[in-house]
Amino acid sequence: MIKKLLSIFLIAFSTFISAQITGHITDQNNAPLPFVNILIENTYKGTTSNDDGYYELNISTPKKYTIVYSYLGYKTVKKDVTIDQFPYKIDVTLEEESVSLTEVVISAEDNPANEIMRQAIAKREENLKKINSFKADFYSRGLIKIKDAPEKILGQDVGDLGGALDSTRSGIIYLSETISKIQFLNPDKLKEKITASKVSGDDNGFSFNSALDVDFNFYNNTIELGNEIISPIANNAFSYYRYKLEGVFYDDRGQLINKINVIPKRKNDPVFSGAIYIVEDQWSIYATELSVTGVQARIPVADLITLKQSFSYSEKEDIWAIISQSIDFRFGMFGIKGDGRFTAVYSNYEFNTGLTRKDFSREIVAFEKEANKKDSIFWNTIRPVPLTLEERTDYIKKDSIQTLHESKPYLDSLDRANNKFKLSNILGYTYQNSHKDYRLGYNVPILGSVQFNTVQGYTANANVFYTKNYDDYNRFFRASGNIQYGFSDERLRATGALTYKFNSISNAFLTVSGGVTVEQFNPSNPISPLINSVSTLFFEDNYMKLYDKSHLSLNYSEELFNGFRLYSGLSYERRKALFNTTDQTFFNDKNDAYTSNNPLDETAFGVAPFETHHIIKGSITARINFGQEYLSYPDAKYNVSNDDYPTLYLGYEKGFGATNSDYNFDQIKASLTQSFSIKDKGRLMYNLKAGTFFNADDIAFIDYQHFNGNQTHVNLDGNYTNVFNNLDYYSASTNDAYFEGHIEHDFNGFLLGKVPLLNKLNFNLVVGAHVLAIPDFKPYQEYSVGIDNIGWGKWRLLRVDYLRSYQSGFQSDAIVFGLKFF
């Protein structure tokens, strides 16, 4: 108790001695006003008030200042103060701004808001280019709260989330702050150096708040917020919005500001609703109060996201620059509901400083060493937005909980409770030692434990594991094993693997694995065990073809330099053919029967597609992520995908030392893949593959190049850029040269969203084309058109496609059902 009181005293005292100008901002009814902008006149040095209306403005030099208090919907207040000593307190009361139409001449023939927005759209690019580059200080705070959390989700105990939830099962689950220096170069170069990072309850954690994640510029045609959301001043904005002039008012400089209501034309379009404030004559953005639903943003967990921005004018540069931003959101799924806010403050701008592309690299975010080790006195000295009482309490509470939770007596007592075996652990049990950070146990996967195929019959699976973590998960050791029993072939098979991760910078992994297992001929596993079980037992379609593999493998992968990752592997394998051992089915159709397990001939029962043999296989693959950007942490590197560039894979595979020398081979292969947004027109994805074999005339069918077919007409993937949905699984397999190409475009509501009545369903149109070319095999093509995002509310799990396939003319057509569970 004494320690807790002392902590509160130290935080309060350090706040008092470090805050140079403090105060409380209220309205005329004495209600606190959050998110008020406080600036020293004619500068970008400032702050904002917190949720309780309190503010701190850090000034170190005693002299005369003019301090400007501005808040959307309220009259701006200026205070001239002469400061001779610190701290200095200024409380301010703001009066509501009168927003009226009395000064606007309204024509019955034209909507005045339309003309204002036409002017803003015409000046959009000019205003965008006014800021060619800048440097600034950046502060961000993130807060996420849960309300009335359920005690269980899908039968699993939720707990109190590490002490975050109170007796009402509500509380803060995430609170963090970031202080950084940022620099920007038009159009899209942004670099951030984080000097301080703080996470409540984790004194070794790093905040994920960054300037990059909240870089929302409405002068661009679209804003990436889950989906590509159309800006109210985009070139094509009139196709998506209606506008209404709510009223006008004058700012402190006497500049006329227009408040424009932004109204979506269609409910489910990727658009905002709310208000945008436009400066008369300059046609610049003065402020925004815009919201987007989770449906519009294609973020199912979100209910509503509200983005507020405030700008300040610099006469010297003739620039309106953003000085504060808040992102408020409500969310809910699986019975969990909550809300949150991310607050950002920009200050101390330096505009058009001569930055060039040479000043930027692929490193977009970097943390200073010891950035997460700053103490409370530092934070209370530099924090531009004071903490609320709720936030201060959370820091104290979580720090105390962390100290307790990291103590050996607590960890031992927690382990004793959790390590007790219960009847409910029959399908899975974990023994852990939290102090030494290791765990071991077993699990029997519910969906994967019982499967069926015609080679093994019903199968039962169980997994065992051991995990030891080092250096906060930057290094770890994993040992795992899998046991599978086939009830029809009466065969027990087992595999195991040992994996060591060396670091989190190059993310180097070494894995040794081995054992006896059943494998599909196509290592991409084109048909899932679950779908195969249903297809086999209910429809007598045993498409999965299997062989027996005993192996000992060594694999190593590492990122050698940014964007270039190398994968290598060496394995010794014994491969043996398998045959059907059961004809069991739920519905015995006399006109239908199981095919053989020979992928070369479905009638070749008891005939092996290859002879039993031993072989050594080596492979090396380079993955090149062009344009890859990354975040640098003191002891870790996190890569960030860049949609502007493709990913290239180059590979070489060699089979040698085979007991049948005809089975030795060489193969080189390459693939190029990319997925990128075309602004409001949707997302385009493509995947191109090519390769060729050498010295491979009579190799085992296992080592052919196989192409992902789909004869079940059910697909569990999110997109179809790696599959032919109307092709047999092995009819096109080759040991020669090959090329396959897939392209798919998801219009993401761009077309269907404009069709009356249909736009209310929030469906997406998807079109695709697929081609396969190999020697002595006439080019095969598929063309598809589908509807995605089918479902209700937040549960949109279904996609339906109609496709037609061609090979020297029309082959057949099909309906494919896509199921997306995650």
Side-chain angles (χ1 to χ4, degrees):
M1 184 65 179
I2 293 176
K3 183 178 179 181
K4 186 173 181 180
L5 290 173
L6 183 59
S7 298
I8 295 173
F9 171 75
L10 287 174
I11 291 177
F13 180 70
S14 61
T15 301
F16 174 76
I17 64 173
S18 65
Q20 306 303 322
I21 296 180
T22 67
H24 192 218
I25 306 176
T26 58
D27 63 12
Q28 293 167 293
N29 298 318
N30 205 34
L33 292 177
F35 211 56
V36 176
N37 294 306
I38 303 104
L39 287 173
I40 298 173
E41 190 175 38
N42 296 323
T43 75
Y44 285 103
K45 183 175 181 60
T47 184
T48 70
S49 60
N50 67 15
D51 284 357
D52 296 331
Y54 290 97
Y55 73 94
E56 299 172 5
L57 182 59
N58 294 323
I59 298 174
S60 57
T61 305
K63 65 176 185 178
K64 184 176 181 180
Y65 294 95
T66 299
I67 303 175
V68 182
Y69 300 84
S70 61
Y71 185 56
L72 212 52
Y74 289 78
K75 293 180 180 179
T76 297
V77 171
K78 292 184 179 182
K79 293 282 188 178
D80 294 320
V81 296
T82 300
I83 299 176
D84 53 12
Q85 63 179 5
F86 295 108
Y88 195 95
K89 184 176 182 181
I90 309 175
D91 293 335
V92 176
T93 299
L94 299 184
E95 298 179 2
E96 288 191 45
E97 180 72 73
S98 175
V99 179
S100 67
L101 292 170
T102 56
E103 303 197 28
V104 180
V105 177
I106 298 179
S107 168
E109 297 179 358
D110 193 15
N111 179 351
N114 288 350
E115 181 57 30
I116 294 168
M117 297 307 292
R118 289 191 188 99
Q119 295 284 0
I121 292 170
K123 292 275 286 188
R124 181 187 65 81
E125 286 196 26
E126 180 182 331
N127 283 322
L128 179 64
K129 292 177 181 178
K130 279 186 177 181
I131 302 179
N132 181 61
S133 65
F134 71 75
K135 296 179 180 179
D137 293 337
F138 177 79
Y139 169 79
S140 176
R141 182 185 302 164
L143 177 72
I144 302 176
K145 297 188 288 187
I146 281 182
K147 298 180 179 179
D148 304 320
E151 294 186 359
K152 291 187 178 183
I153 296 178
L154 300 178
Q156 300 296 314
D157 290 330
V158 175
D160 65 357
L161 301 180
L165 304 182
D166 58 22
S167 59
T168 67
R169 303 201 55 77
S170 302
I172 296 174
I173 61 170
Y174 178 78
L175 171 61
S176 71
E177 298 175 273
T178 295
I179 292 176
S180 57
K181 302 272 187 187
I182 60 175
Q183 53 188 48
F184 169 82
L185 178 66
N186 198 27
D188 58 3
K189 291 293 183 181
L190 182 64
K191 184 167 71 173
E192 180 174 13
K193 184 63 173 288
I194 295 177
T195 57
S197 177
K198 184 176 179 66
V199 179
S200 181
D202 187 358
D203 60 10
N204 197 41
F206 289 94
S207 166
F208 60 73
N209 311 342
S210 73
L212 182 71
D213 294 325
V214 295
D215 181 28
F216 304 122
N217 191 335
F218 284 90
Y219 288 115
N220 291 321
N221 281 315
T222 61
I223 292 86
E224 187 176 353
L225 191 60
N227 200 358
E228 291 285 345
I229 313 298
I230 311 299
S231 168
I233 60 170
N235 290 341
N236 59 345
F238 275 92
S239 298
Y240 291 90
Y241 293 104
R242 297 194 305 273
Y243 303 100
K244 178 182 178 182
L245 180 60
E246 177 80 5
V248 300
F249 62 90
Y250 290 92
D251 69 359
D252 59 295
R253 300 179 305 109
Q255 181 71 53
L256 183 67
I257 310 298
N258 301 283
K259 180 180 181 182
I260 307 293
N261 283 347
V262 175
I263 306 164
K265 285 187 173 181
R266 294 169 294 272
K267 178 182 177 182
N268 293 322
D269 276 352
V271 293
F272 294 98
S273 59
I276 186 169
Y277 297 75
I278 302 296
V279 182
E280 187 80 10
D281 296 329
Q282 293 181 338
W283 313 115
S284 303
I285 299 175
Y286 175 82
T288 65
E289 291 178 315
L290 297 168
S291 298
V292 62
T293 65
V295 171
Q296 292 167 321
R298 301 290 190 266
I299 305 176
V301 71
D303 292 327
L304 187 70
I305 303 170
T306 300
L307 186 59
K308 296 180 181 179
Q309 294 179 329
S310 294
F311 292 73
S312 184
Y313 182 66
S314 169
E315 292 186 6
K316 179 181 177 181
E317 287 91 0
D318 186 28
I319 287 172
W320 286 89
I322 185 171
I323 54 172
S324 62
Q325 176 177 270
S326 70
I327 306 168
D328 294 87
F329 53 91
R330 300 197 311 267
F331 62 90
M333 187 165 276
F334 298 118
I336 293 180
K337 295 182 179 180
D339 57 49
R341 168 179 288 182
F342 282 85
T343 302
V345 177
Y346 301 78
S347 60
N348 299 323
Y349 277 107
E350 297 176 49
F351 293 108
N352 301 324
T353 56
L355 289 172
T356 68
R357 296 185 72 86
K358 294 181 179 179
D359 296 303
F360 296 81
S361 66
R362 297 301 180 189
E363 182 185 64
I364 54 177
V365 177
F367 284 80
E368 279 189 0
K369 191 175 182 180
E370 305 295 320
N372 62 337
K373 303 299 183 184
K374 311 294 185 181
D375 59 21
S376 297
I377 294 177
F378 167 86
W379 278 98
N380 287 306
T381 301
I382 200 169
R383 178 186 289 120
V385 182
L387 297 172
T388 64
L389 176 60
E390 180 184 37
E391 292 164 341
R392 290 197 301 270
T393 303
D394 188 73
Y395 272 132
I396 296 169
K397 173 186 172 183
K398 297 283 181 61
D399 289 346
S400 300
I401 290 175
Q402 182 186 10
T403 301
L404 172 64
H405 285 184
E406 290 180 348
S407 67
K408 189 175 186 301
Y410 175 82
L411 294 175
D412 289 344
S413 65
L414 184 67
D415 289 344
R416 280 194 299 271
N418 291 335
N419 290 339
K420 290 181 180 179
F421 188 86
K422 305 170 185 176
L423 187 60
S424 59
N425 296 131
I426 192 69
L427 293 179
Y429 171 76
T430 299
Y431 175 89
Q432 64 183 23
N433 186 314
S434 301
H435 181 67
K436 295 183 179 180
D437 205 357
Y438 73 81
R439 48 175 34 195
L440 58 91
Y442 70 90
N443 69 80
V444 180
I446 297 175
L447 290 179
S449 61
V450 179
Q451 302 166 3
F452 181 86
N453 62 69
T454 55
V455 171
Q456 297 171 285
Y458 287 102
T459 66
N461 297 270
N463 302 315
V464 294
F465 60 88
Y466 169 81
T467 300
K468 169 66 177 175
N469 296 314
Y470 309 91
D471 308 330
D472 293 319
Y473 310 103
N474 288 313
R475 294 185 298 130
F476 63 71
F477 172 74
R478 303 277 193 269
S480 63
N482 174 265
I483 301 172
Q484 183 186 65
Y485 182 75
F487 287 91
S488 181
D489 68 349
E490 299 180 343
R491 177 75 186 275
L492 179 69
R493 295 177 173 87
T495 58
L498 304 174
T499 298
Y500 185 76
K501 179 184 178 183
F502 292 87
N503 60 70
S504 291
I505 296 177
S506 66
N507 283 291
F509 290 87
L510 176 66
T511 298
V512 179
S513 60
V516 182
T517 184
V518 166
E519 297 278 350
Q520 294 188 48
F521 281 79
N522 183 346
S524 297
N525 298 320
I527 180 169
S528 74
L530 175 62
I531 290 181
N532 180 72
S533 299
V534 174
S535 174
T536 304
L537 289 170
F538 286 86
F539 304 102
E540 292 189 85
D541 292 325
N542 57 322
Y543 295 123
M544 181 185 284
K545 307 302 178 184
L546 304 167
Y547 71 95
D548 186 90
K549 182 174 83 171
S550 302
H551 73 103
L552 179 63
S553 304
L554 179 68
N555 296 90
Y556 181 79
S557 68
E558 182 177 10
E559 186 178 55
L560 300 183
F561 52 88
N562 183 54
F564 186 93
R565 187 168 189 86
L566 198 66
Y567 303 85
S568 59
L570 184 67
S571 65
Y572 167 80
E573 301 178 6
R574 192 272 296 165
R575 285 99 70 95
K576 180 181 178 181
L578 295 173
F579 305 97
N580 290 348
T581 63
T582 179
D583 59 0
Q584 182 177 352
T585 179
F586 286 167
F587 302 100
N588 191 3
D589 186 349
K590 295 181 179 180
N591 296 320
D592 201 358
Y594 287 136
T595 60
S596 76
N597 190 52
N598 187 331
L600 296 172
D601 185 350
E602 64 179 21
T603 66
F605 294 94
V607 178
F610 62 89
E611 68 177 52
T612 300
H613 64 280
H614 300 253
I615 192 171
I616 300 173
K617 294 182 68 175
S619 65
I620 186 167
T621 301
R623 186 192 69 192
I624 306 170
N625 285 332
F626 295 103
Q628 176 178 279
E629 298 172 325
Y630 62 93
L631 287 63
S632 292
Y633 287 66
D635 52 5
K637 174 177 180 281
Y638 296 97
N639 297 325
V640 178
S641 61
N642 190 334
D643 288 357
D644 295 336
Y645 299 90
T647 296
L648 173 66
Y649 290 87
L650 299 172
Y652 171 69
E653 184 179 25
K654 183 176 181 64
F656 61 98
T659 51
N660 181 341
S661 61
D662 289 339
Y663 287 178
N664 296 329
F665 70 94
D666 298 88
Q667 182 189 185
I668 58 173
K669 50 190 174 182
S671 69
L672 190 70
T673 182
Q674 187 179 9
S675 173
F676 58 93
S677 171
I678 310 180
K679 300 304 179 182
D680 63 317
K681 308 299 189 301
R683 177 164 287 270
L684 181 70
M685 297 157 280
Y686 67 83
N687 186 8
L688 310 176
K689 298 181 181 182
T692 190
F693 285 82
F694 301 94
N695 308 313
D697 292 342
D698 298 305
I699 64 174
F701 188 69
I702 301 166
D703 297 314
Y704 275 49
Q705 179 65 32
H706 305 290
F707 306 99
N708 294 334
N710 184 6
Q711 293 171 264
T712 67
H713 298 154
V714 176
N715 198 306
L716 302 182
D717 295 329
N719 66 72
Y720 301 155
T721 55
N722 197 34
V723 62
F724 296 95
N725 272 313
N726 205 26
L727 180 69
D728 294 352
Y729 292 104
Y730 296 104
S731 63
S733 299
T734 184
N735 59 346
D736 206 334
Y738 59 88
F739 170 80
E740 66 172 306
H742 308 267
I743 186 168
E744 189 171 272
H745 185 73
D746 184 344
F747 286 94
N748 201 16
F750 175 69
L751 294 179
L752 298 185
K754 295 178 174 59
V755 180
L757 297 180
L758 193 60
N759 58 20
K760 298 181 181 298
L761 298 175
N762 200 25
F763 291 165
N764 297 338
L765 178 67
V766 185
V767 297
H770 313 262
V771 63
L772 174 62
I774 58 177
D776 302 322
F777 186 86
K778 294 181 179 179
Y780 173 85
Q781 308 119 52
E782 284 182 4
Y783 303 97
S784 63
V785 57
I787 302 296
D788 198 3
N789 210 41
I790 301 172
W792 62 93
K794 296 182 178 182
W795 303 98
R796 296 185 170 271
L797 311 176
L798 180 62
R799 168 178 170 176
V800 179
D801 287 73
Y802 170 74
L803 62 87
R804 295 172 67 88
S805 56
Y806 296 84
Q807 190 176 23
S808 297
F810 173 73
Q811 286 272 307
S812 63
D813 56 2
I815 301 293
V816 176
F817 297 90
L819 300 175
K820 299 177 293 182
F821 295 103
F822 301 103

